Amino acid sequence: MIVTRFAPSPNGYLHLGHALSAMTGFRAARPDGRFLLRIEDIDTARARPEFEKAIFEDLAWLGLTWRVPVRRQSEHVADYEAALARLESMGLTYPCFCTRKDIAAEIARSPAAPHGPEGALYPGICRHLSDGERRRRIEAGEKFAIRLDVARAVAMTGPLGWSDRLRGQVAADPASLGDVVLARKDIPTSYHLAVTVDDALQGVTLVTRGEDLFHATHIHRLLQELLQLPVPDYWHHRLIRDAGGMRLAKSKGAPALRDLRAAGMTTAEARALVD
Ligand code: GLU
């Protein structure tokens, strides 16, 4: 049975790009699969109840239905902590005390700093700290994130890949994202860890999301292998772009579904735009 999900972050109103994502998952689960909804609200500083409420309203307006209960990430922190503890016990993580400024300065100092699909990679400053130095800084109360030692992890798993509906068989290249953050300084988890754990716990068999998140799958596939989780198929769908060719984004002022609705757009018209 196909199980899909739509996993918005309640930090803004949904726009047509979200509608396409939700519709892709909804349609892929038809006629007899399950379509789930997950609220990705681990970033408690940005998540707001009114945005969450609007997600339900907008999806209902689009004519979508989903299985209950809805999983709200902020209620499942213990699941992410357990996964993190497992990776820690495998010796695959390290504390990172760097600020954004430290990282930018280090990258500026080394012009050959490796870059990945999402920009310059973490230059590994804290990977080389001694155990004593780590202990000293933790005891001194310095804030730290937890990073994955990706080279060590890849050495443990060997080559990996996944099956992508549009791109076929894809070879995973987790090192292309560098030592990603598994737990942020302010939050006991991260997007990569929470998504991977949740997709497994919710029994998702087909992850449908925009191709802007294609690269994230390199890391998710690695985390699945390390945590011995089932491997879903993926469908990284096209993105909706504005007249200037830019991907729709809340931050760039893309019209919200609720604005289109208020301006008189019908459900049928909205659905036709994301067909
Ligand atoms: N929460 C993510 C977002 O709103 C999507 C996560 C995913 O589909 O994997 O961009």
Side-chain angles (χ1 to χ4, degrees):
M1 185 184 53
I2 293 193
V3 182
T4 62
R5 54 36 165 211
F6 175 54
S9 306
N11 54 21
Y13 292 118
L14 301 187
H15 51 61
L16 280 170
H18 296 107
L20 173 62
S21 225
M23 288 301 298
T24 304
F26 181 73
R27 288 196 190 108
R30 275 198 310 210
D32 46 19
R34 283 193 191 147
F35 173 64
L36 311 175
L37 176 60
R38 183 166 74 229
I39 301 295
E40 303 216 318
D41 60 348
I42 52 168
D43 192 343
T44 42
R46 296 178 65 210
R48 297 231 299 267
E50 64 265 35
F51 292 136
E52 184 178 317
K53 186 165 163 271
I55 288 170
F56 293 114
E57 286 167 9
D58 292 346
L59 295 180
W61 176 67
L62 282 170
L64 306 193
T65 52
W66 51 90
R67 292 288 174 125
V68 288
V70 170
R71 186 170 170 95
R72 193 178 288 109
Q73 288 190 322
S74 58
E75 294 169 357
H76 297 278
V77 169
D79 291 331
Y80 316 133
E81 284 173 340
L84 184 63
R86 186 153 165 198
L87 297 168
E88 282 175 333
S89 73
M90 293 163 80
L92 297 176
T93 64
Y94 59 89
C96 175
F97 305 91
C98 292
T99 61
R100 279 173 202 271
K101 229 165 129 188
D102 296 333
I103 297 173
E106 177 66 19
I107 290 168
R109 259 197 301 276
S110 45
H115 278 61
E118 291 171 357
L121 303 186
Y122 175 65
I125 307 166
C126 288
R127 190 171 52 230
H128 307 296
L129 299 180
S130 66
D131 284 348
E133 172 78 354
R134 285 177 181 154
R135 249 195 325 272
R136 189 190 62 70
R137 292 175 72 167
I138 291 171
E139 276 161 20
E142 250 189 84
K143 289 202 161 166
F144 58 96
I146 301 285
R147 286 186 184 272
L148 178 68
D149 185 332
V150 82
R152 198 177 275 191
V154 167
M156 194 176 275
T157 64
L160 301 169
W162 76 84
S163 171
D164 209 293
R165 284 281 171 104
L166 302 186
R167 300 203 198 192
Q169 207 52 37
V170 180
D173 181 13
S176 65
L177 276 86
D179 287 357
V180 293
V181 169
L182 296 177
R184 288 167 38 170
K185 281 183 180 172
D186 52 339
I187 300 173
T189 183
S190 67
Y191 161 66
H192 293 306
L193 187 62
V195 160
T196 307
V197 167
D198 281 348
D199 283 336
L201 286 179
Q202 293 191 282
V204 172
T205 63
L206 175 64
V207 172
T208 53
R209 60 184 172 204
E211 63 180 13
D212 53 327
L213 289 169
F214 176 82
H215 300 293
T217 307
H218 292 297
I219 283 292
H220 300 179
R221 186 63 196 88
L222 176 63
L223 292 174
Q224 284 155 5
E225 203 65 16
L226 296 169
L227 295 166
Q228 295 177 296
L229 302 175
V231 186
D233 286 345
Y234 287 84
W235 180 343
H236 295 100
H237 59 73
R238 75 181 168 97
L239 301 178
I240 297 198
R241 299 185 185 276
D242 63 18
M246 294 299 288
R247 167 168 83 87
L248 295 188
K250 300 167 203 173
S251 54
K252 305 267 158 37
L257 291 177
R258 55 187 37 233
D259 296 335
L260 299 174
R261 182 159 79 237
M265 187 180 275
T266 64
T267 295
E269 285 164 345
R271 285 177 70 131
L273 286 176
V274 297
D275 235 353

